[in-house]
Amino acid sequence: MIAPDWFREDRLPHIYCTGCGNGTVLNCTLAAVEEMGWERSETAFISGIGCSSRAPGYILADSLHTTHGRALAFATGVKMAKPDLNVVVFTGDGDLAAIGGNHFIHACRRNVDMTVVCMNNQIYGMTGGQGSPTTPLGAISTTTPYGASEPAFDLAELAVAAGANYVARWTSYHVKELTRAVTTGMQTPGLAFIEVRTQCPTNYGRHNKLRSVPAMIEHLRSHAMLVEKRDRLAREGRPIPEGTFTVGELVRRNRPAMGVKQ
Amino acid sequence: MKLVIDESRCKGCNLCVLVCPYGIFREGTELNSRGVVSPVLDRPERCTNCRLQALYGRMLCGVCHMICPDQAIAWVEERPFEPHRVEVEF
Ligand SMILES: Cc1ncc(C[n+]2csc(CCOP(=O)(O)OP(=O)(O)O)c2C)c(N)n1
Ligand code: SF4
Ligand code: SF4
Ligand code: SF4
Ligand SMILES: [Mg+2]
């Protein structure tokens, strides 16, 4: 087990389904916390509602499991009251971009000093597989039985546009790269947003011809394209393959931030 | 060191089977007492961690350990004089 000092072992095994990517993201985030050498007493984990948002319940540190979509609002409050705390937010695509969309853009705009890890499984996992703002075009969900017809949000690009100091995207397959990105995010003052494309075999894979867990991971792996490669293709005027998404560091900058530790 | 799967946690997703460069994890075929088909280990002593973790004093490779969503993979100390297969450097 990774980071045994940070897991509430008495709460394991966790509630996640077989092969759910959320457990992997939790491993990588805690590995990053361990690498940072943070003390348990100076670290708080905050989340909203959803499968992804249950993550803090498995961590041996103070946590807030708040209302749906409001994780960033609570986290901003925590940071304003106690800027010395290290704040990590776990959230899902529905939690962050649907009901919590406004909190998301404003937390990025304010550049509140915290690390936000979004487990983007492109679906409302917990409530039975309704479409979310990141469900890709054509995907089947319980609310889009004929295929999603609305364009999806690109969460990482949204965070870049809204002003976050650090933005990266990886998948639950890229465990080493993801851990490094979360660590870099934690080191960067201001808001660090790390989007993780994860698999929800139960409520996404099952309806979209990706029944097995390895099939879902293979889909993530083969559709991920390094930002550098995408930029090179664009420069050379070559086509960017359909259905791919960028992975890597999208931005690292030094805009004025709020709530930075003195 | 010895590679072990904690069967009280493993849910049988087979992600470890997918990622191990040595193919040490193989899809299992038998249900365990929890009703889960956990992977079986094929000559785990080939894992770099079994051979060199103690020498280097840190985790090597470790991708199975990181990707395992159920925190079920670990390396434990062997008991003294535990029977050993001959270790082969690949
Ligand atoms: C105010 C409110 N509205 C709706 C819900 C129902 N609800 C619970 S979880 C959820 C969606 C979660 O989706 P996401 O954030 O993507 O998390 P996942 O389960 O996919 O990890 C919804 C709509 C709720 N709990 N509270
Ligand atoms: S419903 Fe989906 S997101 Fe929720 S625990 Fe199961 S696999 Fe994970
Ligand atoms: S990755 Fe972990 S939970 Fe999945 S089969 Fe392997 S040991 Fe079991
Ligand atoms: S640490 Fe690497 S080599 Fe060893 S079992 Fe895990 S994936 Fe295989
Ligand atoms: Mg979701």
Side-chain angles (χ1 to χ4, degrees):
Chain A
M1 150 189 268
I2 303 236
D5 294 346
W6 288 88
F7 267 103
R8 283 174 70 177
E9 289 204 47
D10 56 317
R11 305 278 292 168
L12 299 175
H14 48 59
I15 55 147
Y16 298 143
C17 309
T18 302
C20 173
N22 293 350
T24 306
V25 181
L26 184 54
N27 286 344
C28 296
T29 309
L30 291 182
V33 168
E34 198 165 59
E35 213 166 304
M36 293 296 292
W38 287 350
E39 292 290 328
R40 203 176 285 143
S41 58
E42 55 186 37
T43 308
F45 295 87
I46 297 161
S47 67
I49 297 292
C51 297
S52 36
S53 298
R54 305 224 15 158
Y58 302 105
I59 303 176
L60 201 57
D62 285 341
S63 62
L64 281 171
H65 190 190
T66 73
T67 45
H68 195 27
R70 274 49 176 164
L72 291 173
F74 279 86
T76 304
V78 168
K79 205 53 192 165
M80 292 302 99
K82 291 203 157 189
D84 286 344
L85 283 181
N86 304 306
V87 173
V88 180
V89 176
F90 285 106
T91 181
D93 48 315
D95 195 58
L96 184 82
I99 191 169
N102 242 358
H103 296 299
F104 178 37
I105 53 176
H106 290 288
C108 291
R109 174 181 64 83
R110 291 178 175 139
N111 226 341
V112 191
D113 185 33
M114 55 190 171
T115 306
V116 182
V117 179
C118 176
M119 305 171 188
N120 179 5
N121 52 14
Q122 308 183 310
I123 201 87
Y124 289 179
M126 176 164 272
T127 43
Q130 295 82 0
S132 85
T134 59
T135 303
L137 273 176
I140 310 291
S141 71
T142 52
T143 48
T144 58
Y146 304 108
S149 56
E150 301 167 3
F153 262 146
D154 182 325
L155 299 180
E157 295 289 358
L158 192 56
V160 174
N165 259 356
Y166 179 83
V167 180
R169 172 164 44 214
W170 287 103
T171 77
S172 48
Y173 172 76
H174 299 93
V175 285
K176 300 252 170 178
E177 295 88 340
L178 172 59
T179 307
R180 210 173 311 128
V182 177
T183 312
T184 313
M186 288 170 171
Q187 288 163 345
T188 312
L191 194 137
F193 178 69
I194 297 101
E195 176 188 345
V196 196
R197 295 285 175 100
T198 59
Q199 70 277 19
C200 169
T202 305
N203 282 321
Y204 187 87
R206 208 155 47 97
H207 303 298
N208 290 285
K209 301 198 177 100
L210 298 164
R211 218 162 239 285
S212 75
V213 178
M216 285 216 79
I217 281 280
E218 178 52 31
H219 184 85
L220 286 175
R221 194 193 61 75
S222 59
H223 289 75
M225 181 183 280
L226 281 174
V227 191
E228 292 77 14
K229 181 169 178 195
R230 196 264 327 256
D231 291 348
R232 197 182 66 232
L233 289 180
R235 247 194 335 270
E236 294 168 356
R238 291 200 284 162
I240 291 156
E242 194 75 28
T244 53
F245 57 92
T246 50
V247 291
E249 187 175 296
L250 279 90
V251 81
R252 192 193 313 186
R253 57 194 168 194
N254 207 356
R255 292 192 174 174
M258 253 172 86
V260 181
K261 223 190 242 195
Q262 292 310 313
Chain B
M1 302 289 264
K2 190 170 73 172
L3 172 63
V4 290
I5 297 179
D6 181 346
E7 296 220 358
S8 71
R9 290 200 191 138
C10 171
K11 294 185 187 142
C13 63
N14 288 325
L15 282 175
C16 49
V17 177
L18 188 85
V19 297
C20 177
Y22 294 101
I24 285 170
F25 302 88
R26 292 282 158 89
E27 276 191 36
T29 47
E30 280 178 39
L31 285 178
N32 65 18
S33 58
R34 289 175 65 234
V36 169
V37 183
S38 281
V40 288
L41 300 177
D42 174 21
R43 291 165 290 154
E45 60 279 6
R46 293 178 296 148
C47 165
T48 43
N49 268 310
C50 296
R51 295 186 282 121
L52 300 169
Q53 194 180 48
L55 182 67
Y56 282 62
R58 64 181 173 87
M59 178 70 64
L60 301 149
C61 177
V63 284
C64 57
H65 179 238
M66 289 208 92
I67 208 166
C68 173
D70 287 280
Q71 296 79 37
I73 295 172
W75 286 267
V76 295
E77 291 290 348
E78 284 138 324
R79 280 172 288 118
F81 310 112
E82 204 166 313
H84 247 261
R85 258 189 238 246
V86 176
E87 288 175 8
V88 185
E89 282 285 346
F90 282 84

